[in-house]
Amino acid sequence: MSAEDSHHPSSAEISLRPGAQVFVVLHKDPLRERIDVRESRVLDLEPDVIFLAQTDPPVPRALSGGEVEVAVLAGGGDGEPKRPMGYMARLLDVTDEFPVERRSVIDSVEPREDGGVVPALAVSAPLPGDFFETSLRMHYRVPVDSEMRVVILLEDFESLELLDFSAGGARVRLKTSEPAAADLNVGRSIPFRLLFLGSGYAAGDGVVRSLQTSDDGESMVIGLFFTNMEIRDIRYLERMVARTVSACRQRERDADYI
């Protein structure tokens, strides 16, 4: 068994017990970089069927009979991050009347004595060997450390900390005391340059997708979606992400033998 295989979650580590968090993947479109992932919970299990809480937004009844991907976060032992593991399931039914007395754990619903019902999805249960490592986002996100020599520049901002990046975006921490921070809002476009020191850079516009201010109010983390990039910049960024991921995994494998 290789060092890499030793970190791969086994079937025993994949929990589909009642109450477990799961993700229902309805659609993946790599060409348009779109993915439709909806969070759910396991309500109950039968030998061949798993009942999941209806998602928000709800899965439409018209999809009954089709295939969906059901994913869970597995592993995470010994300080390792959890990895999404999924299997292809048949969506057997979409119902508004799953009886709550059957459920073992429903986080959002209190026990009821009147035999109430909740919306639910019925999906086929996995067989041994059905699970595969998957992704709940279209791009692999690379956490940044000082050894990577990767920094980001945003127009009108000075004090920036790059937290992670992918071929499609980045998360950046900045100080709320910066004058330009007062004008930040979701949807704003900011010219960026992602520098790989000693190698080159990729440039374009970063559209703000999320904003989160720290508890002390002194900093905020913004999520950026990269757009308006030249083809050469896109290809360069994809190569550098792949190279960085490869180098990180090699360091992890080397550490296993120390």
Side-chain angles (χ1 to χ4, degrees):
M1 178 183 291
S2 70
E4 187 173 12
D5 290 337
S6 67
H7 294 294
H8 199 286
S10 66
S11 297
E13 297 177 280
I14 300 172
S15 174
L16 282 174
R17 67 182 184 277
Q21 180 188 44
V22 298
F23 300 90
V24 180
V25 184
L26 297 182
H27 177 70
K28 286 184 178 180
D29 187 344
L31 293 179
R32 296 185 179 181
E33 299 181 350
R34 294 176 181 172
I35 185 169
D36 187 346
V37 180
R38 308 185 186 188
E39 186 176 354
S40 182
R41 295 270 176 180
V42 176
L43 301 181
D44 203 356
L45 301 93
E46 292 182 355
D48 300 323
V49 182
I50 297 177
F51 296 94
L52 306 178
Q54 177 61 284
T55 62
D56 183 17
V59 174
R61 192 181 304 274
L63 295 184
S64 295
E67 277 195 334
V68 297
E69 182 182 324
V70 177
V72 298
L73 298 178
D78 299 325
E80 290 291 322
K82 290 187 176 183
R83 298 184 181 183
M85 301 291 295
Y87 76 98
M88 298 309 300
R90 180 72 62 183
L91 181 58
L92 304 173
D93 190 21
V94 178
T95 177
D96 293 327
E97 299 184 349
F98 179 82
V100 294
E101 65 266 21
R102 291 185 54 185
R103 69 95 172 110
S104 298
V105 178
I106 303 179
D107 289 351
S108 61
V109 178
E110 293 296 326
R112 292 173 55 175
E113 298 179 355
D114 60 356
V117 295
V118 295
L121 312 174
V123 300
S124 58
L127 298 173
D130 278 358
F131 278 97
F132 53 86
E133 188 162 354
T134 186
S135 176
L136 299 177
R137 58 174 62 97
M138 291 310 302
H139 298 289
Y140 185 91
R141 183 179 294 172
V142 183
V144 173
D145 60 43
S146 58
E147 297 181 7
M148 290 183 182
R149 292 170 52 82
V150 184
V151 298
I152 192 168
L153 303 178
L154 297 179
E155 188 176 273
D156 297 329
F157 291 90
E158 296 182 0
S159 179
L160 300 172
E161 178 186 0
L162 179 63
L163 301 178
D164 56 52
F165 67 95
S166 71
R171 286 195 312 142
V172 182
R173 179 181 286 117
L174 53 88
K175 294 181 178 180
T176 54
S177 58
E178 292 209 32
D183 297 325
L184 277 177
N185 53 69
V186 174
R188 178 182 170 183
S189 182
I190 309 172
F192 79 90
R193 184 171 291 192
L194 190 64
L195 283 74
F196 296 85
L197 302 179
S199 174
Y201 67 88
D205 291 330
V207 178
V208 178
R209 286 289 181 86
S210 63
L211 288 167
Q212 184 175 5
T213 304
S214 63
D215 292 339
D216 59 16
E218 294 184 358
S219 66
M220 69 171 61
V221 174
I222 63 173
L224 298 173
F225 172 74
F226 294 159
T227 187
N228 291 338
M229 299 173 65
E230 299 287 343
I231 293 297
R232 59 180 178 83
D233 288 308
I234 294 174
R235 297 291 179 256
Y236 172 75
L237 182 53
E238 289 174 344
R239 290 196 305 271
M240 294 307 295
V241 168
R243 185 181 303 175
T244 303
V245 170
S246 177
C248 291
R249 289 181 174 172
Q250 183 61 53
R251 287 200 300 272
E252 292 174 357
R253 289 193 289 267
D254 291 343
D256 287 333
Y257 295 100
I258 296 177

Coordinates of all heavy atoms in Angstrom, one line a residue, residues 8 19 29 53 145 189 223 225:
H8 N -6.5 7.3 1.9 CA -7.8 7.2 1.2 C -8.8 6.7 2.2 O -8.7 5.6 2.7 CB -7.6 6.4 0.0 CG -8.7 6.6 -1.0 ND1 -10.0 6.1 -0.8 CD2 -8.7 7.2 -2.2 CE1 -10.8 6.4 -1.9 NE2 -10.0 7.1 -2.7
G19 N -28.9 11.0 10.6 CA -28.4 12.2 11.1 C -27.1 12.7 10.4 O -26.7 13.8 10.5
D29 N -21.0 20.5 -14.7 CA -20.7 20.9 -16.0 C -19.3 21.5 -16.0 O -19.1 22.7 -15.9 CB -21.7 22.0 -16.5 CG -21.6 22.4 -18.0 OD1 -20.5 22.0 -18.5 OD2 -22.5 22.9 -18.5
A53 N -33.3 14.0 3.8 CA -34.1 15.2 3.9 C -34.2 16.0 2.6 O -33.1 16.0 1.9 CB -33.6 16.1 5.1
D145 N 0.8 28.3 1.9 CA 1.8 28.5 3.0 C 3.0 29.3 2.5 O 3.1 29.5 1.3 CB 2.2 27.1 3.6 CG 2.9 26.2 2.6 OD1 3.7 26.7 1.8 OD2 2.6 25.0 2.5
S189 N -16.3 43.9 -8.9 CA -15.2 43.3 -9.7 C -13.9 44.1 -9.4 O -13.9 45.3 -9.4 CB -15.5 43.4 -11.2 OG -14.5 42.8 -11.9
G223 N -14.2 36.1 -0.8 CA -14.1 35.0 -1.8 C -14.2 35.6 -3.2 O -15.1 36.4 -3.4
F225 N -14.2 35.2 -7.4 CA -14.3 34.3 -8.6 C -13.5 35.0 -9.8 O -13.8 36.1 -10.1 CB -15.8 34.2 -9.0 CG -16.0 33.5 -10.3 CD1 -15.8 32.1 -10.4 CD2 -16.4 34.2 -11.4 CE1 -16.0 31.5 -11.6 CE2 -16.6 33.6 -12.6 CZ -16.4 32.2 -12.7

